[in-house]
Amino acid sequence: MAQDQGITKAADGLNGASWNVVGHTYTPKLHSENAFIWHAVIPDGTFVPPHVHPTQDEWITILKGTLEVEFGGDVYQAGPGDTVRMPMGVAHGIFNRSGSTATCVFGVAPSRKLYDLFCALDGVTDPEELVRLSALHEVDFLPPPSE
């Protein structure tokens, strides 16, 4: 997991990696024991359902477009230059309802098992499998809201 100093070029991921996770393209930029940072392309109409990172703080810095982040019943909009703070243990969902693609940089600290989770989730489309794999990697999805 340790990485050497250097530059991860704009178009590149670490070791050539890039993943399709819930319809988003995630490209890892930095990975150490202490932090994991990835670039994300989030198409309109896609989302990450409400979930909790019990062992990590997470953040998003928006580069282009707009995302909505839900904390419980509260919805916040974030646009270019904004940073979304999602402390460990706090449930949050991330939604692109803007009508256009958003790009942003995500990070977590410490890294824990998230890099390995994205490797496991690459291309997974079955929601039950996504929830199962996530729980094995310290990400807990909330049950869907009752209708």
Side-chain angles (χ1 to χ4, degrees):
M1 175 181 355
Q3 69 178 26
D4 297 326
Q5 70 278 354
I7 304 213
T8 306
K9 293 292 190 180
D12 298 337
L14 294 174
N15 302 314
S18 181
W19 309 292
N20 178 335
V21 179
V22 297
H24 303 167
T25 301
Y26 292 166
T27 306
K29 298 296 183 174
L30 177 146
H31 183 224
S32 72
E33 183 177 323
N34 298 313
F36 172 36
I37 297 173
W38 65 99
H39 181 271
V41 176
I42 303 178
D44 178 49
T46 63
F47 61 96
V48 179
H51 62 283
V52 174
H53 298 258
T55 60
Q56 299 168 304
D57 290 325
E58 183 178 19
W59 64 91
I60 308 168
T61 299
I62 309 297
L63 302 175
K64 178 181 160 195
T66 303
L67 294 177
E68 291 182 357
V69 180
E70 295 182 4
F71 296 99
D74 298 325
V75 179
Y76 300 89
Q77 279 202 347
D82 293 342
T83 297
V84 180
R85 301 178 316 273
M86 300 165 286
M88 76 175 67
V90 175
H92 56 278
I94 303 159
F95 301 83
N96 184 346
R97 301 174 176 129
S98 69
S100 63
T101 296
T103 58
C104 51
V105 175
F106 279 77
V108 294
S111 295
R112 305 289 298 178
K113 300 178 180 181
L114 202 61
Y115 185 98
D116 293 338
L117 173 60
F118 290 166
C119 290
L121 288 181
D122 186 27
V124 171
T125 57
D126 177 55
E128 288 182 12
E129 182 64 0
L130 184 141
V131 168
R132 185 188 76 77
L133 289 168
S134 296
L136 294 174
H137 293 85
E138 302 177 322
V139 175
D140 300 319
F141 280 90
L142 277 56
S146 50
E147 296 298 326

